[in-house]
Amino acid sequence: MGKSMPAAGQTTADIIRDLETYYEPENLYLRTVGLVLDAADLLDVPHEVKLILSQPKNEIMVHCPVRMDDGRWELFKGYRVQHNNVLGPYKGGMRYHKEVKLDEVKTLALLMTMKCALASIPYGGAKGALKVDPRELSEGELMRVTRRLTAALGGNIGPDYDIPAPDVGTDARVMAWMADTYINFAECSSKVTARAVVTGKPLEFGGSHGRDKATGQGLVYVLEEMLPGMGMEFAGLGFSLIGYGNVGSWTGRLLQQKGCRMHAVLDHTGAIANPDGIDAGQLAAHVAAHGGVVGYPDARAISEEEFYATEVDLFIPAALEQMVNLEHAKRMRCKVVVEAANAPTTPRAEQYLLDHGVEVLPAILCNVGGVTVSYFEWKQNRLSETWDAAVVDERLKTVMCRAARRVLETAAHLKCNLRLASFAAAIQHINQVYAMRGVFP
Ligand code: NAD
């Protein structure tokens, strides 16, 4: 047996060592696989399932030449990582960010596999990215680069195979261009259901009611389920947010509706605070007009250090991965970290917080509302139906509450923290399906 095929009985550490020996120990993908395998070790998961989950099935890399408005040509690197599809078609967001790296995309694809399994959504996990800062492009350039990326991915995406969605730096407009390009290029029997190739589309072009706010709304449903067990209720809770984009701004507005108060916000432009509360709706309007939270008139500009040290009940990272590190954790004064972004807390920061009595609600539970309403959109497209906003909300609530209860029950049963419990609950589902289907051939 070759070096890359560990024999049955090898430990999690052996599998990780065999993955890629040149990885640095702080590598996000390695850390995440490590946690997933730790969770699998709490269950009776066969070795081959752990091996399969330790690497994505496919890692696709494309290069897209695009002519810019001034006549220059630029080459943009794109990724699509398809981690696992045992539960259904690959599913995951498409990120536009200048600093994006393959390992980050692999990590996010793995987390999507876990998320869909935890919520019992019939999808596998994928993630895509384009190395670009969309804020530096004109609308025409953004459209050309999106169309070129979609064409380059070609048959690697499709409504029955791999379904992208919005993520950091992409929105409903980008999804509409992706769907339109796919419909024009792909050999598809039905041009109507072909738009189910992506979710998060504009409402008028096959989008779903409630998709925009879905991730924030799902997070609020998780809190509804979890807060009472922590002896807390919404009214009067103070919170802070990292990121005021789609997820952050909807979370802020929906928590405000529940009677909570937003004390501080940090985004890529800087940080602001107001001990009396920042109006979430007005801040969303300010960000839409000015591109970031800085300059919002009804709050004071603060430093990043001050932001992390602001006393709140709920600390909600809703920006990028690994933003909350040990140094930040030592400053933080909160009761609960609610992970809206994917993998926002470093393992050391998480351990420190848990050791100091701070509860950490894991991302694969807290932000699964986004893919849940994406699934509803895909379903509506395939059935040529349009569900009312109230129906979407009600069905989202059912999924979120069921997932939250599963995590709590698994944590109690396995006597582990909520992150390991969320992974264990997901792996249990995947493992059951592998046990039924077997591993090909
Ligand atoms: P977005 O592009 O709408 O917003 C991103 C936010 O992050 C912006 O407010 C930006 O200012 C902030 N940010 C970027 N760099 C920063 C930095 N260095 N410091 C502070 N803030 C910074 O993205 P989004 O869709 O809101 O996604 C946010 C997170 O939620 C990501 O981790 C994403 O993967 C995750 N997520 C999104 C969805 C969804 O439905 N959009 C679903 C599940 C998970």
Side-chain angles (χ1 to χ4, degrees):
M1 186 169 280
K3 185 175 179 301
S4 60
M5 289 289 275
Q10 283 185 308
T11 63
T12 296
D14 292 330
I15 295 178
I16 292 211
R17 209 172 305 121
D18 272 21
L19 269 177
E20 301 276 0
T21 42
Y22 56 82
Y23 269 142
E24 73 273 25
E26 297 286 297
N27 177 281
L28 179 59
Y29 184 71
L30 264 196
R31 282 174 178 177
T32 312
V33 173
L35 282 171
V36 167
L37 295 177
D38 283 348
D41 284 343
L42 298 175
L43 307 162
D44 195 14
V45 173
H47 187 67
E48 65 274 18
V49 174
K50 291 199 279 182
L51 267 186
I52 291 169
L53 292 177
S54 69
Q55 282 284 25
K57 276 203 173 172
N58 307 310
E59 296 171 33
I60 300 150
M61 207 183 289
V62 295
H63 294 93
C64 309
V66 176
R67 195 194 281 275
M68 310 308 280
D69 289 349
D70 61 6
R72 270 179 315 115
W73 284 90
E74 278 202 34
L75 193 64
F76 297 94
K77 187 189 278 292
Y79 303 101
R80 187 72 185 170
V81 174
Q82 297 164 334
H83 178 261
N84 188 277
N85 62 350
V86 75
L87 299 184
Y90 299 110
K91 182 88 186 87
M94 197 55 96
R95 174 173 294 191
Y96 285 5
H97 197 277
K98 210 165 190 164
E99 306 302 330
V100 78
K101 293 195 176 65
L102 179 59
D103 270 356
E104 181 184 325
V105 187
K106 284 171 68 174
T107 306
L108 295 166
L110 164 65
L111 291 173
M112 280 303 291
T113 299
M114 294 294 124
K115 230 182 263 189
C116 295
L118 171 65
S120 298
I121 295 171
Y123 284 145
K127 196 80 181 189
L130 189 72
K131 242 174 142 42
V132 64
D133 182 349
R135 287 179 289 232
E136 287 175 359
L137 302 187
S138 69
E139 186 165 28
E141 289 168 341
L142 188 62
M143 182 180 74
R144 291 198 293 282
V145 84
T146 298
R147 289 197 184 281
R148 182 73 204 214
L149 171 68
T150 312
L153 289 173
N156 290 302
I157 57 170
D160 292 318
Y161 184 64
D162 183 357
I163 307 134
D167 190 70
V168 173
T170 56
D171 55 16
R173 193 178 43 150
V174 171
M175 293 304 114
W177 292 326
M178 288 195 87
D180 182 70
T181 309
Y182 179 83
I183 290 168
N184 276 286
F185 272 86
E187 284 179 25
C188 38
S189 53
S190 164
K191 296 278 185 195
V192 178
T193 52
R195 61 190 181 171
V197 63
V198 296
T199 56
K201 299 181 291 295
L203 200 52
E204 300 78 3
F205 178 36
S208 176
H209 283 291
R211 176 60 186 90
D212 229 23
K213 65 164 186 165
T215 308
Q217 183 66 72
L219 179 146
V220 171
Y221 289 144
V222 167
L223 287 176
E224 255 177 50
E225 194 67 28
M226 295 248 179
L227 286 181
M230 297 187 278
M232 297 163 96
E233 57 180 46
F234 282 112
L237 286 187
F239 66 97
S240 59
L241 271 164
I242 309 180
Y244 214 70
N246 171 292
V247 178
S249 69
W250 275 110
T251 300
R253 282 172 280 179
L254 293 165
L255 283 179
Q256 185 169 291
Q257 279 172 22
K258 287 277 188 189
C260 304
R261 191 173 282 192
M262 187 159 79
H263 289 301
V265 184
L266 166 75
D267 77 356
H268 72 285
T269 62
I272 57 168
N274 184 341
D276 298 328
I278 299 168
D279 185 87
Q282 281 174 19
L283 182 62
H286 174 86
V287 171
H290 303 280
V293 300
V294 157
Y296 178 68
D298 209 10
R300 186 171 63 85
I302 56 169
S303 66
E304 203 177 296
E305 287 74 27
E306 254 185 287
F307 168 81
Y308 281 99
T310 304
E311 189 165 359
V312 283
D313 299 291
L314 310 177
F315 183 98
I316 311 175
L320 301 176
E321 295 76 41
Q322 305 289 282
M323 289 197 63
V324 180
N325 62 29
L326 180 60
E327 237 177 85
H328 299 138
K330 286 181 179 167
R331 281 198 205 108
M332 281 157 60
R333 292 185 297 159
C334 65
K335 295 185 181 128
V336 186
V337 172
V338 190
E339 292 188 336
N342 291 303
T345 318
T346 68
R348 284 201 206 119
E350 179 177 15
Q351 198 51 57
Y352 182 90
L353 292 164
L354 292 173
D355 290 346
H356 288 78
V358 176
E359 193 57 271
V360 180
L361 305 187
I364 69 160
L365 170 64
C366 294
N367 70 25
V368 75
V371 67
T372 304
V373 177
S374 273
Y375 166 56
F376 296 162
E377 176 178 333
W378 180 78
K379 219 166 154 175
Q380 290 171 74
N381 290 166
R382 299 175 75 97
L383 298 170
S384 293
E385 286 184 0
T386 306
W387 301 353
D388 291 341
V391 172
V392 172
D393 272 356
E394 189 194 311
R395 292 182 183 178
L396 173 63
K397 186 170 181 171
T398 304
V399 172
M400 298 306 297
C401 294
R402 185 182 60 204
R405 281 197 298 272
R406 266 183 89 191
V407 172
L408 289 173
E409 285 160 15
T410 309
H413 177 64
L414 297 175
K415 299 186 176 45
C416 64
N417 67 41
L418 296 177
R419 183 174 318 280
L420 281 176
S422 63
F423 284 142
I427 293 166
Q428 197 162 34
H429 183 30
I430 292 170
N431 186 38
Q432 278 167 348
V433 179
Y434 272 116
M436 290 161 187
R437 289 180 59 166
V439 177
F440 183 80

